[in-house]
């Protein structure tokens, strides 16, 4: 509720040094000074007999204090009927027991009575009565006899009685006492609406929980004296004040105080009702989970403690974008980031990942651009050191998270990838990590738009596979586990498999696919296979996994194009051709040469070759270069066809290490064949 006493308005009523005593008794109110400003919601607390009702009677001019001053709208109150009438129009009182207040026969008559008494025109009386009936939800009861109404209905009539007066200040005695929850909520709502309209409320109550949730200012009366007059939170925090008055603390305040500890940022509003309390609990839980997560997150501690020795893991661009998105929406919602600014997100397996937010900048539309500097760990890739940034803002699409690619994030242009053409190159796993991170902030009846950007990403993207994958204008946001495992080849293989997916989405591939080992063999494939090469896919050293992936896409007519040094390994059943996996080139070379009749010293010469290319002149000299190459190419095809019974139909186009033609199991175009000449070894 608004508190207008910050703005210097004139008080409605002002009491100065009031002393009041009933005849022949000690003073009931002593040295009472208080001012009530427009729009204030004041809770009047005090034990029975402390003088609350007496104060109400003074404020409505029913009792006249013996000493002190009563100013009404700045003027000293004269206890004459004219000014008293004005005072009672402006300051109304709602009794605790409505039977003390109501006397007319029907609800309508009862409510209109006050307005009639004000000598207003008939039209005005009707207007005010109808409005008051509506405001108190009494439309269905307007013609009922008051005496047959329930307590709650009578209570509402007693409030409506005062609404027609269009008072500036309402004095209410226990407005929710004896009401069932629906009626209590209804009366609370009516009072809330009144407060929002700027009507001041002075409410006497013993219900500290209700008072704490509803009031702005607290006045505590004890033994006829004001013990406290100020902010209600401050008042309820004053344990001594409450104890002296024999009052309990509001439950929510006491519970929050017990649960609050130094780990909880004091950044939000103090919870004062169950709704805000619930939100506070959720936030507290997430802070606690964050802390527990960080303890679990060995990586976080490894970084914090600067441990060395083992290879350090890093984070994927997806993790960085998710943490940046979480920071962005937190700041947009008025939260503050922890100090230092580490936030925890979760990978798809639920593993917590804690990252540092390196920058946060508010944009003109009040959203925040937050960035995390990508750290690839001990397996840095091209994105290491770049800022991965996210901006999150609400949209109108209920429950949807919409992804946009900002600067440096590429756009998918070819079918076959996990993301549709036209979409920003943010893969499904990062999308789900980002969504999971920001889901708690999903606005009711709307959604969230996340724009991911990687400043400088466009230049870096030129050195990645993206151009091959038809991803233009920037990098991809990748990551299947959120964590970059050092020396892991999985991410690399994943990006190669994407190429198969694109090739599979091409029309007219007829189940054919061309695998090349790298750029040299790709050029070679184009030259010698021409159109037959289709869209060659780089398989690097992963011949086996790529065969599996191709078979899964029903692309089983595989032509492997590559240099002898690689193909010779495949011919012996080595399906990961990286030399750290297997390097048996010498043995395979010698064994095959022996099978072709090479013996003794010649075999030793071949065995002494440091590369397969170095063996070529010797094979040529021995007159077996062609048969040797044919043998290797055919054995390579058999090995691929036997591989895991995938049903592969294999062909092989063999070159030397520099991309010169050696042999082909596939019929080459006539024209091309004319150009095919053996290098002179
Ligand atoms: P509260 O509303 O806080 O319970 P009251 O204003 O009703 O307190 O009462 C304050 C004191 O004045 C009490 O000691 C009460 O007995 C006394 N009192 C209240 N009304 C009268 C009255 N009409 N005549 C004499 N004493 C009264």
């Amino acid at each position: 509720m608004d508190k207008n006493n910050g703005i210097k308005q004139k008080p409605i009523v002002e009491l100065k040094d009031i002393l009041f005593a009933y005849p022949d008794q000690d003073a009931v109110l002593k040295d009472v000074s208080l001012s009530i400003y427009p729009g204030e919601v004041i809770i009047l607390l005090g034990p029975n007999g402390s003088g609350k009702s007496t104060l109400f009677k003074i404020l409505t001019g029913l009792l006249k204090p013996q000493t002190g001053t009563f100013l009404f709208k700045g003027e000293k109150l004269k206890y004459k009927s004219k000014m008293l009438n004005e005072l009672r129009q402006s300051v109304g009182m709602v009794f605790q027991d409505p039977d003390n207040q109501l006397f007319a026969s029907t609800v309508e008559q009862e409510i209109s009575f006050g307005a009639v008494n004000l000598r207003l025109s008939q039209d005005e009386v009707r207007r005010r009565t109808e409005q008051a009936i509506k405001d108190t939800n009494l439309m269905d009861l307007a013609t009922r006899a008051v005496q047959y109404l329930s307590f709650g209905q009578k209570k509402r009539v007693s409030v409506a009685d005062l609404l027609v007066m269009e008072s500036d200040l309402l004095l209410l005695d226990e407005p929710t006492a004896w009401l069932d929850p629906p009626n209590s909520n209804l009366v609370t709502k009516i009072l809330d609406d009144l407060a929002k309209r700027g009507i001041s409320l002075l409410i006497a109550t013993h219900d500290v929980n209700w008072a704490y949730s509803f009031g702005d200012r607290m006045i505590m009366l004890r033994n006829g004296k004001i013990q406290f007059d100020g902010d209600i939170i401050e008042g309820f925090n004053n344990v001594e004040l409450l104890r002296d008055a024999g009052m309990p603390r509001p439950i929510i305040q006491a519970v929050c105080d017990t649960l609050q500890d130094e780990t909880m940022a004091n950044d939000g509003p103090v919870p004062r009702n169950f709704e805000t309390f619930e939100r506070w609990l959720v936030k507290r839980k997430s802070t606690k989970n964050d802390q527990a997560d960080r303890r679990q997150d060995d990586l976080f501690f490894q970084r914090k403690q600067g441990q060395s020795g083992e290879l350090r893991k890093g984070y994927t661009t997806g993790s960085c974008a998710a943490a940046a998105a979480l920071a962005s929406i937190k700041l947009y919602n008025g939260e503050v980031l922890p100090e230092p600014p580490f936030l925890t997100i979760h990978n798809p397996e639920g593993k917590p990942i804690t990252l540092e937010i390196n920058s946060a900048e508010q944009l003109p539309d009040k959203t925040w651009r937050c960035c995390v500097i990508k750290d690839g760990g001990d397996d840095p890739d091209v994105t290491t050191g770049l800022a991965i940034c996210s901006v999150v803002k609400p949209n109108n699409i209920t429950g949807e998270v919409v992804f946009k690619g900002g600067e440096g994030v590429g756009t998918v242009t070819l079918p076959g990838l996990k993301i549709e053409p036209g979409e920003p190159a943010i893969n499904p796993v990062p999308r789900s990590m980002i969504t999971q991170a920001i889901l708690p902030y999903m606005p009711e009846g709307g959604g969230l738009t996340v724009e991911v950007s990687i400043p400088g990403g466009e230049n870096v993207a030129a050195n990645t596979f993206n151009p091959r994958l038809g991803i233009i204008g920037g990098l991809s946001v990748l990551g299947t586990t959120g964590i970059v495992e050092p020396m892991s080849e999985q991410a690399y293989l994943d990006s190669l498999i994407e190429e198969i997916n694109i090739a599979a989405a091409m029309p007219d591939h007829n189940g054919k696919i061309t695998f090349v080992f790298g750029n040299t063999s790709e050029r070679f494939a184009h030259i010698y296979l021409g159109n037959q090469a289709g869209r060659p896919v780089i398989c690097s050293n992963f011949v086996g996994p790529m065969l599996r992936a191709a078979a899964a896409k029903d692309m089983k007519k595989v032509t492997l194009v590559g240099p002898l040094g690689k193909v010779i390994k495949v011919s012996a059943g080595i399906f990961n051709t990286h030399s750290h996996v297997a390097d048996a080139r010498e043995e395979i070379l010698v064994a095959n040469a022996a099978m072709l009749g090479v013996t003794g010293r010649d075999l030793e010469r071949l065995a002494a070759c440091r590369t397969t290319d170095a063996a070529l002149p010797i094979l040529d000299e021995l007159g077996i270069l062609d048969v040797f190459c044919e043998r290797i190419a055919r054995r390579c095809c058999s090995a691929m066809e036997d591989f895991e019974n995938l049903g592969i139909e294999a062909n092989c186009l063999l070159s030397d290490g520099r991309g010169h033609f050696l042999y082909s199991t596939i019929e080459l175009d006539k024209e091309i064949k004319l150009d095919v000449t053996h290098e002179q070894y």
Side-chain angles (χ1 to χ4, degrees):
M1 269 137 278
D2 286 326
K3 218 175 154 186
N4 293 335
N5 58 348
I7 312 158
K8 272 294 156 211
Q9 281 175 298
K10 266 205 327 217
I12 304 163
V13 290
E14 212 174 345
L15 302 182
K16 284 184 188 165
D17 306 321
I18 293 292
L19 181 135
F20 177 84
Y22 288 101
D24 307 324
Q25 286 192 24
D26 290 341
V28 171
L29 294 176
K30 289 160 260 183
D31 307 324
V32 168
S33 296
L34 62 90
S35 304
I36 299 177
Y37 289 85
E40 283 198 288
V41 178
I42 310 168
I43 301 294
L44 179 61
L45 293 177
N48 288 333
S50 57
K52 300 182 297 295
S53 307
T54 306
L55 179 63
F56 276 8
K57 287 175 191 158
I58 286 175
L59 286 169
T60 45
L62 293 171
L63 294 175
K64 187 179 174 193
Q66 279 80 16
T67 61
T69 319
F70 182 170
L71 298 179
F72 169 56
K73 294 193 174 167
E75 253 185 80
K76 196 164 180 242
L77 184 74
K78 295 182 197 81
Y79 288 83
K80 299 270 167 50
S81 61
K82 183 167 174 274
M83 200 163 183
L84 283 176
N85 274 340
E86 268 174 46
L87 175 72
R88 284 169 199 157
Q89 268 182 51
S90 179
V91 181
M93 183 149 82
V94 181
F95 291 83
Q96 181 177 352
D97 184 353
D99 284 331
N100 289 341
Q101 190 177 324
L102 311 179
F103 54 87
S105 56
T106 70
V107 169
E108 219 163 18
Q109 282 169 349
E110 170 63 42
I111 294 170
S112 61
F113 183 76
V116 172
N117 256 4
L118 292 177
R119 301 204 171 82
L120 299 169
S121 71
Q122 271 195 349
D123 282 353
E124 184 59 11
V125 170
R126 197 174 312 118
R127 186 192 68 77
R128 287 193 186 190
T129 307
E130 277 170 10
Q131 187 61 45
I133 286 175
K134 225 168 110 203
D135 287 347
T136 49
N137 204 12
L138 289 166
M139 289 83 78
D140 296 340
L141 303 172
T143 54
R144 287 267 193 96
V146 170
Q147 66 189 103
Y148 299 125
L149 297 183
S150 74
F151 183 85
Q153 291 163 340
K154 282 184 189 164
K155 190 86 185 180
R156 271 146 54 201
V157 176
S158 68
V159 175
D161 266 1
L162 288 163
L163 293 183
V164 290
M165 312 284 283
E166 300 198 339
S167 311
D168 301 308
L169 166 64
L170 290 185
L171 313 178
L172 299 115
D173 190 10
E174 295 285 357
T176 58
W178 313 112
L179 294 179
D180 61 7
N183 273 300
S184 169
N185 292 341
L186 198 60
V187 168
T188 304
K189 173 147 189 343
I190 294 167
L191 296 182
D192 192 23
D193 288 345
L194 292 174
K196 280 181 183 145
R197 275 197 242 156
I199 294 172
S200 306
L201 306 173
L202 177 65
I203 305 167
T205 182
H206 294 291
D207 185 345
V208 290
N209 294 309
W210 185 86
Y212 188 57
S213 74
F214 195 75
D216 292 329
R217 175 177 159 193
M218 176 209 277
I219 295 176
M220 173 73 86
L221 260 187
R222 194 160 62 88
N223 298 331
K225 281 194 158 193
I226 293 183
Q227 306 287 331
F228 178 89
D229 181 357
D231 181 79
I232 196 160
I233 297 175
E234 200 187 310
F236 276 120
N237 267 325
N238 189 333
V239 179
E240 236 168 64
L241 177 79
L242 295 177
R243 194 190 51 215
D244 290 349
M247 297 231 155
R249 292 184 80 192
I251 292 171
I252 288 177
Q253 192 195 35
V255 172
C256 287
D257 264 14
T258 311
L259 295 179
Q260 175 89 33
D261 56 32
E262 71 287 349
T263 60
M264 280 216 44
N266 258 329
D267 52 358
V270 176
R272 284 161 62 183
N273 56 36
F274 278 103
E275 199 188 22
T276 50
F277 178 56
E278 235 177 339
R279 252 183 266 144
W280 185 88
L281 278 180
V282 169
K283 191 171 147 204
R284 179 179 179 277
K285 197 168 160 232
S286 84
T287 313
K288 297 280 163 200
N289 284 350
D290 258 19
Q291 286 156 357
D293 280 349
R294 277 183 214 173
R295 276 192 289 279
Q296 263 186 47
D297 185 354
D298 53 338
L299 178 51
F300 177 74
F301 273 85
Q302 187 185 319
R303 282 156 172 272
K304 282 208 89 170
Q305 294 161 7
Q307 286 173 357
S308 55
E310 274 183 40
L311 282 172
R312 213 164 48 81
K313 296 171 186 170
Y315 297 117
T316 61
T317 41
S319 296
C320 298
L326 177 60
S328 170
I329 191 69
K330 271 181 182 282
L331 290 170
Y332 183 80
N333 277 358
E335 290 185 30
V336 286
L337 298 185
E339 192 49 56
F342 286 98
L343 289 184
T344 301
I345 48 140
H346 294 86
N347 76 355
E349 286 93 53
K351 184 175 163 47
I353 300 173
T354 304
L355 293 105
E356 182 172 9
I357 308 301
N358 299 96
S359 69
E361 171 204 358
Q362 191 164 32
L363 305 177
D365 65 354
K366 301 277 178 246
T367 58
W368 289 79
R369 179 188 291 119
C370 296
C371 304
V372 172
I373 305 291
K374 166 81 187 286
D375 175 359
D378 283 336
D379 193 17
D381 64 6
V382 289
T383 57
T384 294
L386 290 179
I388 315 295
C389 308
S390 297
V391 179
V392 185
K393 63 172 135 193
N395 64 36
N396 303 328
I397 316 163
T398 308
E400 281 278 310
V401 175
V402 176
F403 288 91
K404 282 183 151 187
E407 180 195 347
V409 170
T411 303
V412 174
T413 62
L414 295 175
L417 295 178
K418 292 174 191 128
I419 301 296
E420 291 297 310
E423 278 280 304
I426 304 168
N427 265 7
V429 167
R431 282 176 192 239
S432 89
M433 281 171 70
I434 294 169
T435 302
Q436 197 202 355
I438 62 175
L439 209 55
Y441 295 87
M442 184 70 76
E444 216 168 278
L448 293 169
T449 296
V450 185
E451 184 183 291
V452 181
S453 57
I454 310 175
E458 188 165 2
N459 291 338
V460 175
N463 301 321
T464 69
F465 275 99
N466 276 6
R468 291 188 62 85
L469 298 173
I471 296 170
I472 57 164
L475 290 163
S476 311
V477 179
L478 300 171
T480 42
T481 59
I483 299 162
V484 177
E485 297 286 348
M487 312 311 282
S488 149
E489 288 170 332
Q490 189 59 43
Y492 182 48
L493 174 59
D494 286 346
S495 69
L496 298 177
I497 290 174
E498 294 286 23
E499 285 201 51
I500 295 181
N501 298 336
I502 289 180
M506 293 283 168
D508 307 326
H509 58 68
N510 298 325
K512 287 187 194 164
I513 191 160
T514 305
F515 280 160
V516 295
F517 284 88
N519 295 334
T520 309
S521 42
E522 186 175 8
R523 274 195 303 276
F524 175 68
H526 280 303
I527 294 167
Y528 290 95
L529 292 176
N531 290 336
Q532 289 189 76
R535 187 185 171 85
V537 166
I538 290 183
C539 67
S540 182
N541 289 308
F542 305 102
V543 181
M546 293 295 276
L547 283 176
R548 242 177 255 136
K553 288 278 172 185
D554 231 10
M555 301 187 85
K556 298 187 179 177
K557 293 177 186 159
V558 181
T559 303
L560 182 66
V561 179
L564 181 64
K566 295 285 184 189
V567 172
I568 203 170
K569 291 188 187 181
V570 182
S571 75
I574 297 169
F575 283 91
N576 183 329
T577 56
H578 198 292
S579 41
H580 75 239
V581 176
D583 189 1
R585 281 172 297 182
E586 180 191 324
E587 291 79 355
I588 306 164
L589 178 71
V590 169
N592 280 289
M595 292 303 286
L596 291 172
V598 181
T599 54
R601 235 186 69 77
D602 290 330
L603 281 181
E604 277 170 28
R605 281 173 65 206
L606 286 171
C609 293
R610 293 185 53 196
T611 63
T612 43
D613 271 11
L616 293 173
I618 302 171
L619 294 169
D620 200 19
E621 182 194 313
L622 295 170
I624 58 163
L625 181 60
D626 281 342
V627 282
F628 182 86
C629 290
E630 181 181 353
R631 184 183 166 87
I632 296 298
R634 295 208 180 283
R635 289 180 72 83
C636 171
C637 292
S638 311
M640 290 202 289
E641 288 175 353
D642 291 346
F643 181 69
E644 294 181 0
N645 294 321
L646 296 172
I648 301 289
E649 280 176 44
N651 270 297
C652 181
L653 178 61
L654 194 60
S655 72
D656 68 9
R658 288 174 294 163
H660 298 127
F661 179 87
L662 288 178
Y663 189 81
S664 174
T665 63
I666 197 168
E667 188 65 21
L668 300 177
D669 286 355
K670 213 173 169 190
E671 263 176 68
I672 295 169
K673 213 169 180 182
L674 290 177
D675 287 342
V676 173
T677 48
H678 273 171
E679 268 292 285
Q680 291 303 302
Y681 291 104

